Amino acid sequence: MIAKSQPLPERAALFLRLGVGLVFGLCVAFLVADEVSRSAETYLKQFWREVIAQTLTLVAFILWAGAAVMRRVSLAIWAALAGAALCFMLWHMRIYSGASNAGELPSILILLALTFIANELVSTADQAGKPFAPYELYFDEAWKRGVQLILAIGFTLLFWGILLLGAALLGFIGFKWLEDLLRNEYFAFPITGLAFASAVHLGDIQPKLLANVRGLALGVLAWLLPVITLIGAIFAVSLAFSGLQPLWDTKAATATLLSACIGFVVLINAAFQQGETDRKVQVVLQWCVRLAALLLLVFAILAAWSLGLRINQYGLTIDRTLAGMVVVIALAYGLGYSAAVFWRGPWMELLKPLNIGLAVFKCVVFVAILTPLASPARLSVDNQVKRLTSGLVKPEKFDWWFLRYDAGTYGTKALDQLTQSPDAALAKMAAKAKANLLGERRHFLEDSETAEKNRPDLSALEVVMPKGASLPASFVAQRFDGETTPFVPDCLVTKPIKDEPTCKAALLDLDADTKPEVIILSTSGSITGFKQKDETWDVLRTESAANSEDIAKSLETGDIRVVEPRFKDVMIGEVRVRFQLYERPPNIIIDMNAVPPQPAKAKSAEPAAQAPSKP
């Protein structure tokens, strides 16, 4: 019993890590390999294969990290509980939140962060033998594990680089066996697991190496704090004079401000480290930490304000819900760190319990986001459906694609309920969306509203040929979209920048049907044609002009005309063949032995002097 309550010795930890890398690698290879044989499986079976493979990968990280530091029983219990929780969250994220929604990648990153933070909280507390370890131990273990993880990833990538280089070298002499072996999942996954496990173990048995790398990283990051603090202070003071409108006009205020908040938190902790218990902190860094903590709160409040304005205008989306999670965490850090500035006692001493409490708080928020408690898909669907049924958004402007494809089970259930709505028009539109009869995907509400606001006035385009003509009313009324309709000039999609030249138009009958086509000529030299079909206009694709300067000059003079093609097309059955003259470049023969011609000497204005005659 005593042995079981102790961490594994170094040799046993190595065997456990290598065994996990090999066995879990083979299991993952079995779950994801042989796509041909799995093509006949149902979607549910394929889905569970992916979920279990991802769960095993994350559990492997927990076992690798805790093999030499956690007690054996604690490690086994923690790995089992974490594996079950991770499997549930992956299942919920893929089934209920939707596998193709805009928040899939952020959700995966959140899951990775949750795994790392929770594992450090549990493993460090287990080392200390109590629910919460001292802050100094948390700091040492977390930064050590982070550096160890980065080095292990780098080692594994370098290992694979050497294998691929060897396969390429052997391929040059006709040996393909190593290349074929690397493509085999039953070799690739286990060898990757073994390489990663070896790198993690090397980090454990080389504590001085990790300490030196960590010290270097912390030193560099700490002295970046004055830079971001100075920039942040200038930004905050400038806002007092310019107002907030220029910030809102960027359309990326929330993301930029939250990125700055993350940078403040990382650099503040790099400068603070363990406080002044083990080292003397420079006075410049001390004041930068104080000022950065206050700026962190300012930036978090501005981010919350910016996000609140967008949600009030356009409602919740998955991206905005995830951004709201980051805003809540940023506000918690800002409030806590600002309180630490004015806390009595040693310099920023309050950061120690705050960082532990905020780590637990982040885990709670992450778990809520990845489960039904605060699923971004569920919250977004509820909010958007409420806006739809309350009349804030018209059914024809609603993003039905979001419910049909991007919100998982939450979206499809809401769509089913809307088909039973007492509002006949709403129910009919929902039924069309459920049957996928609404055509191509449309933008989110925010983008469609913005696109409508920025839509250019096509009637203002100058028609250079014929002079004084106007564009057809149906062309002016059409809403062009550069994503759903390719090759459309930007001047037909968004308003041009002030004082910049814009496109010009010409009306020419290109197919001799007595109805003119519209030719849009941009100042860059690109030319796009449009032919009317009923009340809409289809694109006639052309190649870009070779000499944009000549095009611009011709536009000014109106030198535009229709000419017959040099070669007519040939129909071979139903295939149209188009001919174009291939002009061979002239052959240039260079004689390397030829003597370059000498420049002619200039004739002198004075007659040449005669040589003196002999006496």
Side-chain angles (χ1 to χ4, degrees):
M1 293 297 296
I2 297 178
K4 292 183 180 180
S5 63
Q6 298 298 322
L8 290 172
E10 181 180 307
R11 188 179 183 87
L14 173 62
F15 289 152
L16 175 62
R17 284 167 171 158
L18 294 177
V20 168
L22 178 62
V23 175
F24 280 35
L26 290 172
C27 293
V28 172
F30 170 76
L31 291 169
V32 303
D34 197 9
E35 294 183 1
V36 176
S37 64
R38 293 194 292 115
S39 59
E41 293 182 350
T42 63
Y43 168 77
L44 188 59
K45 289 183 178 180
Q46 295 182 18
F47 159 78
W48 275 112
R49 282 176 176 265
E50 296 175 3
V51 168
I52 295 175
Q54 294 169 0
T55 302
L56 289 177
T57 304
L58 294 175
V59 172
F61 164 75
I62 293 174
L63 293 172
W64 286 330
V69 293
M70 291 186 67
R71 291 173 292 180
R72 304 177 187 184
V73 176
S74 301
L75 179 60
I77 295 175
W78 166 235
L81 293 176
L86 291 170
C87 186
F88 171 76
M89 285 184 281
L90 283 166
W91 167 78
H92 172 266
M93 186 174 69
R94 297 296 301 276
I95 286 290
Y96 276 87
S97 297
S100 61
N101 63 58
E104 181 182 12
L105 179 60
S107 296
I108 293 175
L109 296 178
I110 291 171
L111 186 65
L112 295 176
L114 171 64
T115 304
F116 182 86
I117 297 173
N119 184 69
E120 290 308 306
L121 288 173
V122 173
S123 64
T124 306
D126 185 72
Q127 292 180 61
K130 48 187 177 181
F132 291 99
Y135 172 77
E136 291 75 14
L137 184 59
Y138 278 122
F139 179 84
D140 283 337
E141 287 297 316
W143 279 92
K144 168 192 170 183
R145 197 67 62 200
V147 172
Q148 188 178 23
L149 178 61
I150 293 174
L151 293 178
I153 293 174
F155 176 85
T156 305
L157 293 176
L158 182 61
F159 174 76
W160 264 98
I162 294 174
L163 289 180
L164 293 174
L165 177 61
L169 292 175
L170 290 176
F172 291 153
I173 58 176
F175 293 101
K176 301 291 185 181
W177 60 269
L178 182 55
E179 182 179 349
D180 296 336
L181 195 62
L182 295 180
R183 292 179 179 176
N184 190 313
E185 292 87 349
Y186 287 97
F187 176 81
F189 283 99
I191 200 68
T192 302
L194 290 173
F196 200 94
S198 302
V200 172
H201 190 74
L202 286 174
D204 269 353
I205 63 177
Q206 295 289 338
K208 290 185 178 180
L209 174 63
L210 289 182
N212 292 335
V213 175
R214 189 194 71 175
L216 177 62
L218 289 173
V220 172
L221 292 175
W223 285 105
L224 288 176
L225 180 63
V227 179
I228 191 175
T229 303
L230 177 61
I231 296 174
I234 294 174
F235 173 79
V237 173
S238 301
L239 286 180
F241 296 95
S242 65
L244 297 178
Q245 191 58 43
L247 181 62
W248 305 152
D249 291 340
T250 63
K251 308 298 183 183
T254 304
T256 306
L257 292 168
L258 290 179
S259 299
C261 290
I262 295 173
F264 277 126
V265 171
V266 173
L267 297 182
I268 286 173
N269 282 281
F272 178 74
Q273 296 185 27
Q274 299 178 8
E276 291 188 301
T277 55
D278 298 329
R279 65 188 183 93
K280 181 66 177 177
V281 182
Q282 297 290 336
V283 176
V284 174
L285 286 181
Q286 291 186 8
W287 282 102
C288 285
V289 167
R290 294 187 178 99
L291 181 56
L294 299 176
L295 289 173
L296 171 61
L297 179 59
V298 173
F299 278 50
I301 293 174
L302 289 175
W305 191 350
S306 173
L307 183 63
L309 292 175
R310 303 301 287 176
I311 293 175
N312 184 59
Q313 287 177 312
Y314 306 113
L316 280 177
T317 62
I318 292 177
D319 286 341
R320 294 192 193 111
T321 306
L322 292 172
M325 172 205 70
V326 183
V327 165
V328 169
I329 295 175
L331 286 172
Y333 270 96
L335 291 171
Y337 281 26
S338 297
V341 173
F342 304 101
W343 193 264
R344 293 183 178 180
W347 171 70
M348 301 296 286
E349 185 71 15
L350 191 60
L351 287 189
K352 295 181 179 180
L354 272 175
N355 280 336
I356 299 175
L358 288 171
V360 176
F361 176 70
K362 284 190 291 187
C363 289
V364 173
V365 174
F366 292 163
V367 169
I369 285 288
L370 297 171
T371 59
L373 294 175
S375 169
R378 181 181 67 81
L379 297 178
S380 302
V381 167
D382 292 346
N383 181 262
Q384 292 294 346
V385 170
K386 182 179 179 181
R387 288 167 56 86
L388 176 64
T389 55
S390 64
L392 289 177
V393 181
K394 296 180 180 179
E396 58 271 15
K397 290 188 176 182
F398 186 73
D399 188 6
W400 295 98
W401 185 285
F402 169 71
L403 295 184
R404 179 69 173 80
Y405 293 105
D406 283 351
T409 305
Y410 294 113
T412 55
K413 286 184 176 180
L415 197 57
D416 291 338
Q417 294 176 357
L418 289 174
T419 58
Q420 308 299 323
S421 173
D423 187 338
L426 180 59
K428 183 178 179 180
M429 188 71 74
K432 287 184 177 181
K434 184 178 179 180
N436 195 25
L437 298 178
L438 294 181
E440 297 292 334
R441 174 170 186 165
R442 293 169 47 199
H443 296 294
F444 289 104
L445 289 173
E446 172 188 0
D447 299 324
S448 61
E449 295 284 347
T450 304
E452 183 65 24
K453 185 184 299 183
N454 295 332
R455 181 173 175 264
D457 182 10
L458 301 186
S459 62
L461 290 181
E462 179 186 357
V463 179
V464 297
M465 181 67 185
K467 290 290 185 179
S470 301
L471 290 173
S474 57
F475 184 86
V476 174
Q478 183 163 331
R479 286 166 170 76
F480 293 97
D481 184 354
E483 293 188 8
T484 59
T485 308
F487 313 115
V488 174
D490 291 339
C491 61
L492 302 185
V493 180
T494 57
K495 293 180 180 178
I497 301 176
K498 187 178 181 180
D499 298 331
E500 284 195 2
T502 184
C503 299
K504 296 184 179 180
L507 301 178
L508 299 172
D509 187 3
L510 301 180
D511 53 3
D513 64 349
T514 70
K515 295 181 179 180
E517 280 69 48
V518 175
I519 312 299
I520 301 298
L521 310 105
S522 70
T523 54
S524 63
S526 63
I527 305 172
T528 308
F530 294 87
K531 179 173 177 59
Q532 187 173 12
K533 182 180 180 182
D534 298 329
E535 292 299 320
T536 60
W537 293 77
D538 295 334
V539 177
L540 301 174
R541 183 183 178 185
T542 61
E543 296 181 358
S544 297
N547 194 331
S548 58
E549 294 182 0
D550 291 345
I551 290 290
K553 292 178 181 178
S554 299
L555 286 177
E556 295 297 331
T557 60
D559 185 9
I560 307 171
R561 61 191 182 278
V562 178
V563 298
E564 293 290 335
R566 180 178 297 183
F567 303 100
K568 294 183 178 181
D569 296 346
V570 175
M571 293 297 297
I572 304 177
E574 297 298 327
V575 178
R576 180 182 294 272
V577 180
R578 180 162 297 172
F579 292 92
Q580 185 176 2
L581 182 64
Y582 172 70
E583 297 179 358
R584 183 184 299 276
N587 294 326
I588 301 176
I589 301 176
I590 301 176
D591 186 357
M592 302 300 295
N593 297 320
V595 179
Q598 298 296 326
K601 295 182 179 179
K603 294 182 179 181
S604 177
E606 298 293 332
Q610 298 291 331
S613 59
K614 293 182 179 180

